[in-house]
């Protein structure tokens, strides 16, 4: 095992190269610009395509075009850039082409700032563009996890011909941590049978999101919904810490999730039976497991770097079975262990566990 | 258990982020868990820069801490920000060349090192970061000076290699100063 000290942005970029990324199109934006810096060297070294587009709108449409030809392609950005990409994301979803997009969330709304945030949760999971679709959204909490999720993202994108997003934040992007990169894989030399890759000797393939006529477009929508249902059945992921005997459950993802590991340790030292549920897929949300836990614990504390966006999914799943409290910081502020602990203690008192 | 949550803080250009990275490399080389996370404004030089480095035998939860066990402060704004935040029983390491104020805390260990002055005397004021890191290593015993030096050799960029020996000297200087004062 060869562990290296890697910055999140460099780590996911290099992981993509090693997973056989054929083409990258993007536009720099803090806190993910190191990814472009890294790829601008590495992709050229490997004889692959790196292109810094004139805008995020151009970048996502280049990604769309490349994806139609069946090659492994990705882009990365942060909130304001993702907003510009929304039209393209919807076209990608409607055309059913595999694409991976990394979003290193930063403080918003507006130009906001370059500090870490989780306020693009609703945007990514529920409304990444017009029309009825959801991207599959993965949420890493460490450098190793984002490396592993890059490989998984390509695999899932291609398996389901769907849009996969990795929901990082400024902290995951900027942090350095020891991690291991995957072995180098060459660029795939086969072309998927649906791809637009030159029709010599066969019937032409058509990749489009344009379906004139309600019946045809509804048929596409029915197919998309069936696919999303299948993804929901097969691809929910979550990790748990000390949930076996937990009375109070922390629910948090990504950076907030790992902060809650520290909260959990401190709470346990103080004799509180605290567990942690950390979703790794934000869409599909790991509903089934959270629902089981709702029957076991006596209260939940949701922690996010937002005003409470995932909170609504937790409420939807729990359906009032146990009290749910929320601890959130916004605008680039990061929740602090001792402050979360205060809320955990007060909830513990309320549910008679302390 | 070896475990420190350290903030390095100063102006951009003082080598604050690199000092933290070097500590991270050293921690990793000694088989410990490490996280390094920077926080800085958009400007390259002259803004405030700080990083939080956690080195631990235990897997690291939050990479960000409210109350560091050690604060290494390179300038006055950093002193103002972090003096009150250091955990009781912790360590405040002060670059006394640029910070005139004395700490009012009596529940932590406070060590003054005129790092910028000494670095200037040794030929390059920018090596104050290594003097402070040398002092840090001696005061905390978190990693060995030998490991830090080996990692410096490995990670100093090509462009900066001519500074390898002077950096070694600065690290030793910081260590020796603190040892002599003890």
């Amino acid at each position: 095992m060869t562990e290296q000290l890697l910055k999140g942005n460099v780590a996911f970029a290099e992981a993509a190269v090693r997973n056989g990324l054929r083409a990258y199109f993007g536009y720099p934006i803090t806190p993910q610009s190191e990814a472009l810096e890294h790829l601008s060297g590495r992709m050229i070294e490997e004889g692959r395509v790196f292109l810094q587009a004139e805008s995020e709108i151009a970048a996502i449409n280049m990604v769309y075009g490349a994806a139609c030809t069946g090659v492994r392609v990705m882009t990365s950005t942060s909130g304001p850039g993702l907003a510009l990409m929304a039209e393209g994301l919807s076209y990608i979803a409607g055309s059913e082409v595999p694409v991976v997009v990394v979003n290193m969330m930063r403080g918003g709304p507006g130009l906001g700032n370059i500090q870490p945030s989780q306020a693009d949760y609703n945007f990514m999971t529920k409304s990444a563009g017009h029309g009825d679709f959801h991207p599959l959204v993965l949420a890493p909490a460490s450098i190793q996890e984002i490396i592993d999720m890059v490989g998984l993202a390509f695999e899932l994108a291609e398996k389901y011909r769907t849009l996969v997003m990795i929901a990082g934040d400024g902290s995951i992007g900027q942090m350095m941590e020891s991690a291991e990169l995957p072995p180098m894989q060459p660029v795939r030399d086969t072309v998927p049978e649906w791809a637009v890759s030159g029709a010599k000797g066969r019937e032409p393939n058509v990749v489009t999101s344009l379906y004139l006529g309600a019946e045809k477009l509804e048929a596409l929508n029915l197919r998309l919904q069936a696919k999303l249902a299948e993804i929901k059945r097969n691809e929910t992921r979550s990790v748990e810490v000390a949930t076996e005997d937990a009375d109070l459950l922390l629910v948090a993802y990504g950076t907030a999730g790992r902060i809650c590991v520290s909260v959990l340790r401190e709470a346990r030292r103080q004799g509180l039976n605290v567990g942690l549920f950390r979703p790794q897929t934000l869409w599909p949300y790991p509903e089934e497991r959270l629902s089981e836990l709702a029957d076991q614990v006596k209260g939940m504390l949701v922690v996010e770097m937002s005003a409470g966006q995932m909170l609504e999914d937790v409420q939807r799943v729990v359906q009032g079975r146990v009290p749910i409290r929320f601890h959130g910081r916004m605008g680039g502020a990061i929740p602090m262990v001792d402050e979360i602990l205060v809320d955990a203690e007060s909830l513990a008192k309320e549910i008679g566990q302390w | 258990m070896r475990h420190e949550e350290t903030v390095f803080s100063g102006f951009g250009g003082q080598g604050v982020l690199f000092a933290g990275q070097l500590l991270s490399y050293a921690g990793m080389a000694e088989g410990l868990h490490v996280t390094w996370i920077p926080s800085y404004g958009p400007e390259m030089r002259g803004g405030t820069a700080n990083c939080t480095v956690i080195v631990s035998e235990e897997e690291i939860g939050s990479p960000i801490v409210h109350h560091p066990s050690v604060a290494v402060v390179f300038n006055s704004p950093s002193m103002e920000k972090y003096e009150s935040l250091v955990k009781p029983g912790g360590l405040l390491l002060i670059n006394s060349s640029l910070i005139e104020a004395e700490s009012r805390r009596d529940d932590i260990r406070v060590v003054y090192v005129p790092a910028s002055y000494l670095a200037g005397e040794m030929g390059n004021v920018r090596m104050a970061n290594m003097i402070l890191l040398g002092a840090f290593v001696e005061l905390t015993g978190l990693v060995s000076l030998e490991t830090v030096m080996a990692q410096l050799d490995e990670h100093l960029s090509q462009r900066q290699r001519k500074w390898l020996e002077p950096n070694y000297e600065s690290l030793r200087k910081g260590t020796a100063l603190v040892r002599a004062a003890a």
Side-chain angles (χ1 to χ4, degrees):
Chain A
M1 197 162 89
T2 48
E3 292 219 324
Q4 292 169 262
L5 190 67
L6 290 166
K7 189 178 243 205
N9 285 329
V10 173
F12 87 71
E14 181 59 26
V17 173
R18 294 183 181 211
N19 274 287
L21 180 68
R22 176 71 183 84
Y24 176 96
F25 307 92
Y27 188 79
I29 181 171
T30 311
Q32 66 80 51
S33 294
E34 292 90 349
L36 275 92
E37 186 186 6
H38 183 79
L39 290 168
S40 66
R42 287 287 288 130
M43 291 295 276
I44 306 306
E45 254 171 52
E46 297 291 335
R48 306 181 191 172
V49 173
F50 169 88
L51 198 149
Q52 181 176 322
E54 67 270 36
S55 71
E56 285 89 348
I57 298 175
I60 196 67
N61 282 289
M62 292 175 188
V63 166
Y64 177 28
C68 291
T69 70
V71 301
R72 204 162 252 203
V73 59
M74 79 182 294
T75 188
S76 56
T77 187
S78 186
L82 191 69
L84 285 172
M85 291 182 182
E87 183 196 40
L89 297 176
S90 176
Y91 280 49
I92 286 164
S95 303
E96 297 181 90
V97 290
V99 163
V100 173
V101 176
V102 178
N103 178 24
M104 290 297 178
M105 291 181 271
R106 60 185 250 175
L111 196 51
N113 61 26
I114 58 175
Q115 262 61 62
S117 162
Q118 296 182 320
D120 299 348
Y121 179 94
N122 283 345
F123 183 11
M124 280 188 282
T125 60
K126 297 184 164 71
S127 193
H130 62 285
D132 271 314
F133 75 97
H134 296 276
L136 203 159
V137 183
L138 303 169
S142 69
I143 307 304
Q144 187 63 59
E145 200 167 37
I146 198 169
I147 290 171
D148 297 342
M149 279 182 177
V150 167
L152 178 65
F154 283 125
E155 189 188 310
L156 294 173
E158 285 158 13
K159 177 174 176 192
Y160 295 103
R161 288 178 59 185
T162 195
L163 173 62
V164 178
M165 285 194 184
I166 296 180
D169 62 64
S171 169
I172 298 282
Q174 297 298 318
M175 181 171 61
M176 292 180 94
E177 202 171 16
S178 56
E180 192 183 3
L181 288 161
M184 189 71 179
Q185 279 176 46
V187 166
R188 183 181 57 216
D189 55 9
T190 55
V191 179
E193 56 172 23
W194 53 264
V196 181
S197 57
K200 201 172 177 187
R202 64 161 166 80
E203 286 297 301
N205 287 332
V206 177
V207 176
T208 184
S209 69
L210 177 67
Y211 293 84
L212 296 174
E215 278 168 26
K216 281 183 188 165
L217 187 52
E218 190 174 47
L220 166 74
N221 272 282
L222 289 169
R223 191 166 75 236
L224 285 177
Q225 291 302 315
K227 175 158 71 182
L228 292 173
E230 191 189 346
I231 292 173
K232 229 169 159 169
R233 274 195 305 279
N234 299 340
E235 307 299 345
T236 60
R237 288 171 168 80
S238 58
V239 293
E240 294 172 34
V241 183
T243 48
E244 306 79 22
D245 64 341
D247 297 316
L248 194 161
L249 189 68
L250 299 164
V251 185
Y253 69 94
T255 292
R258 70 181 289 158
I259 290 171
C260 283
V261 173
S262 297
V263 175
L264 184 149
R265 282 185 194 145
E266 192 48 44
R268 289 254 164 194
R269 270 195 278 272
Q270 296 180 20
L272 271 175
N273 283 345
V274 171
L276 169 66
F277 181 71
R278 178 166 71 79
Q280 291 171 301
T281 51
L282 303 182
W283 203 96
Y285 199 75
E287 297 172 5
E288 212 170 303
R289 182 58 192 146
L290 183 63
S291 187
E292 285 168 13
L293 287 167
D295 286 331
Q296 176 205 314
V297 302
K298 302 191 174 62
M300 293 188 192
L301 176 62
V302 178
V303 181
E304 289 180 73
M305 282 138 59
S306 79
Q309 300 190 11
M310 180 182 73
L311 173 65
E312 291 175 4
D313 277 329
V314 176
Q315 288 166 334
R316 180 174 56 81
V317 171
V318 173
Q319 297 276 331
R321 278 174 285 171
V322 294
I324 300 169
R325 296 289 170 269
F326 178 67
H327 182 104
R329 297 296 304 269
M330 290 174 283
I334 293 169
M336 287 295 167
V337 173
D338 38 7
E339 291 168 3
I340 302 168
L341 208 51
V342 170
D343 284 358
E345 284 163 3
S346 102
L347 176 58
K349 277 180 196 143
E350 195 181 315
I351 58 177
Q353 294 304 311
W354 204 44
Chain B
M1 186 179 80
R2 285 201 279 174
H3 179 98
E4 294 291 357
E5 301 170 347
T6 306
V7 168
F8 293 86
S9 181
F11 291 126
Q14 282 186 306
V16 168
L17 301 181
F18 183 70
Q21 276 183 17
L22 188 53
L23 174 61
S24 309
Y25 283 121
M28 215 181 111
E30 295 197 2
L32 301 167
H33 295 276
V34 300
T35 55
W36 172 95
I37 190 163
S39 152
Y40 44 72
E43 58 284 80
M44 287 289 283
R45 292 242 161 89
T48 58
N50 70 67
C51 63
T52 303
V53 178
I54 303 182
V55 178
S56 181
E57 282 176 30
E58 189 179 43
E59 200 174 319
I60 297 165
S62 175
I64 298 127
V65 290
H66 208 170
H67 297 288
S69 56
V70 185
V72 185
V73 291
F74 287 60
N75 63 6
S76 294
S78 305
M79 171 83 168
E80 274 161 40
K81 184 168 178 192
Y82 289 107
E83 183 195 5
S84 63
L85 293 178
V86 175
K87 234 182 228 172
L91 168 69
L92 179 63
L93 181 53
I94 296 173
N95 177 14
S96 56
S97 308
L98 297 183
I99 301 167
E100 283 180 17
E102 287 191 10
S103 173
R104 271 167 274 165
R105 293 281 300 266
D106 56 8
D107 59 340
I108 57 173
R109 190 169 177 200
V110 183
V111 177
Y112 300 88
V113 175
S116 297
Y117 172 76
L118 291 170
E121 236 184 9
M122 292 168 70
N124 188 340
V125 71
R126 288 178 60 205
M127 285 182 309
N129 62 342
M130 291 298 113
I131 294 180
L132 287 167
L133 186 60
F136 170 94
V137 166
E138 178 66 21
L139 289 164
T140 62
L142 184 62
V143 292
S144 79
L145 189 68
E146 290 67 38
T147 310
V148 173
M149 287 164 72
Q151 291 303 308
L152 183 64
D153 184 24
E154 205 158 308
H155 295 284
L156 202 64
S157 67
Q158 207 52 44
R159 182 165 71 83
Q160 306 280 5
R161 283 213 75 79
K162 60 179 179 221
W163 296 108
L164 185 61
E165 270 309 320
N167 270 302
Y168 280 165
E169 227 176 286
S170 305
L171 282 166
R172 282 193 214 101
K173 182 86 181 175
T175 307
L177 254 177
V178 173
R179 196 176 294 163

